[in-house]
Amino acid sequence: MRRKKRKQAGVSRFVDWYLKIVRRKPVSIIAASLLTIVATVGSLSSGVTATIRLYDFVVSQLFANQVIYERLASINTGLHVDFVDQSFGRPSVIQQVLSSRYGERIYAHKKYFLRVIVDEAGIVQFYSITTRSDDFKPPLPLPHLFHGLRLGEFRLGNLDSSPDRIALNMSSKFFYYNEKHEFGNPGFYKMYLFERSDLGCCREEDQFIEHFKQFSFDDLFGKAEGYNFNRSNAGLFDKFRAPIIPNVFGVYSATNDKKLLDHVMAGGVSVNYFMAREFP
């Protein structure tokens, strides 16, 4: 029995040492599978707890994107912001918007931006995900609705609906185009926003700008008031939007606060441009 306890302690110390080394030198992960076998062969019974810890660490590194995808998929409107903090840590930015009626939190990561807007009670009313890396393409939520579409990969023409509202902004510094969709009961009566932004990845911004230049602004949007498109020329508008690849996805709750929706669409579904450029 004493020998068994010593063996358990030995395996546990080895794993503690190994995890410390690998965290400092991620390249060592290449040998993780081999070391897992070594740790396990010592004793399947005595080393099982330590081996599980080692396995979890290896999986989290080798499948880092998948781990983040699962965390992002757990976010939804109606949740308390504490739940978001538990999954993503302390936000990079916390600020008040719309005369302090709402709080905005930005979680900046080298592969993505997560933007969350909460009400005074801390309940999530809106969130968006921006992919910043070509190899980071999280699946959209609600598989029954979006059929496996991934952000930064699918085109707006792949959606089984047309937008009921759009917003476009293009300046010498930045651009974005976004649109709002509602899917009724299959979408839980929430609003889904898709945006092409120069803050995201997956296509050079010049490609979007050149694509936009092929169309007349008046033909696309006419004299429509607010955020809308020229419905008398819907065919041309569909031709404009169909090839666009969104790199931002957002969900807006069923709240009736039109000012918040205006704030989100008019200012961009992704994070603020001048704020985003401060992050590496």
Side-chain angles (χ1 to χ4, degrees):
M1 181 65 69
R2 187 174 299 175
R3 181 179 298 177
K4 184 177 180 179
K5 289 184 177 179
R6 285 201 300 268
K7 189 177 293 183
Q8 289 175 337
V11 173
S12 182
R13 285 197 298 271
F14 166 76
V15 173
D16 289 339
W17 168 82
Y18 171 69
L19 295 182
K20 185 182 297 184
I21 294 299
V22 172
R23 286 193 181 100
R24 293 175 182 173
K25 301 180 180 180
V27 176
S28 301
I29 284 206
I30 298 174
S33 297
L34 178 60
L35 288 173
T36 301
I37 295 173
V38 172
T40 307
V41 166
S43 173
L44 290 176
S45 59
S46 64
V48 63
T49 301
T51 302
I52 290 174
R53 290 171 51 215
L54 186 58
Y55 171 81
D56 289 343
F57 178 78
V58 171
V59 168
S60 68
Q61 295 296 318
L62 293 179
F63 305 98
N65 281 359
Q66 186 60 40
V67 172
I68 300 175
Y69 294 165
E70 293 176 359
R71 290 179 183 172
L72 291 173
S74 69
I75 299 176
N76 211 335
T77 57
L79 298 176
H80 196 276
V81 70
D82 286 350
F83 177 83
V84 183
D85 287 348
Q86 290 172 5
S87 297
F88 294 91
R90 184 170 177 80
S92 305
V93 175
I94 300 177
Q95 62 182 5
Q96 301 298 310
V97 297
L98 292 178
S99 301
S100 299
R101 292 173 55 195
Y102 295 93
E104 181 177 34
R105 305 165 82 89
I106 306 298
Y107 304 79
H109 187 277
K110 63 181 180 180
K111 289 192 173 185
Y112 65 87
F113 287 126
L114 172 62
R115 179 189 184 193
V116 176
I117 295 181
V118 301
D119 62 18
E120 293 177 339
I123 304 302
V124 177
Q125 299 297 329
F126 164 82
Y127 76 90
S128 72
I129 300 165
T130 304
T131 175
R132 304 176 67 194
S133 173
D134 287 343
D135 68 350
F136 189 79
K137 299 180 179 180
L140 301 186
L142 305 181
H144 68 279
L145 186 62
F146 297 117
H147 310 296
L149 297 180
R150 289 179 173 272
L151 189 63
E153 187 175 84
F154 80 97
R155 299 177 185 274
L156 291 176
N158 298 136
L159 297 175
D160 296 330
S161 69
S162 296
D164 54 42
R165 183 175 177 181
I166 63 95
L168 172 69
N169 194 344
M170 185 175 295
S171 73
S172 60
K173 298 182 180 64
F174 60 87
F175 72 85
Y176 60 79
Y177 166 81
N178 62 55
E179 51 185 53
K180 177 176 75 71
H181 293 249
E182 296 186 46
F183 302 94
N185 184 57
F188 304 130
Y189 298 102
K190 298 181 181 182
M191 305 172 192
Y192 297 87
L193 309 176
F194 304 91
E195 179 171 275
R196 177 65 200 176
S197 168
D198 60 348
L199 297 179
C201 76
C202 309
R203 287 291 185 276
E204 294 183 2
E205 60 185 64
D206 289 345
Q207 293 184 346
F208 176 87
I209 296 174
E210 290 303 315
H211 172 69
F212 180 75
K213 287 180 179 179
Q214 299 177 33
F215 301 86
S216 163
F217 187 91
D218 290 338
D219 289 342
L220 287 175
F221 305 105
K223 297 181 180 180
E225 296 182 1
Y227 308 102
N228 218 324
F229 57 92
N230 187 355
R231 296 183 183 275
S232 65
N233 206 345
L236 181 65
F237 181 74
D238 286 340
K239 185 178 180 181
F240 160 72
R241 62 176 291 275
I244 296 175
I245 300 177
N247 49 24
V248 186
F249 169 76
V251 179
Y252 182 78
S253 69
T255 178
N256 293 319
D257 192 341
K258 184 176 180 295
K259 289 185 177 180
L260 179 58
L261 181 61
D262 291 346
H263 171 77
V264 168
M265 294 193 69
V269 179
S270 184
V271 303
N272 177 273
Y273 167 82
F274 296 101
M275 181 188 303
R277 67 181 183 178
E278 300 295 330
F279 298 113

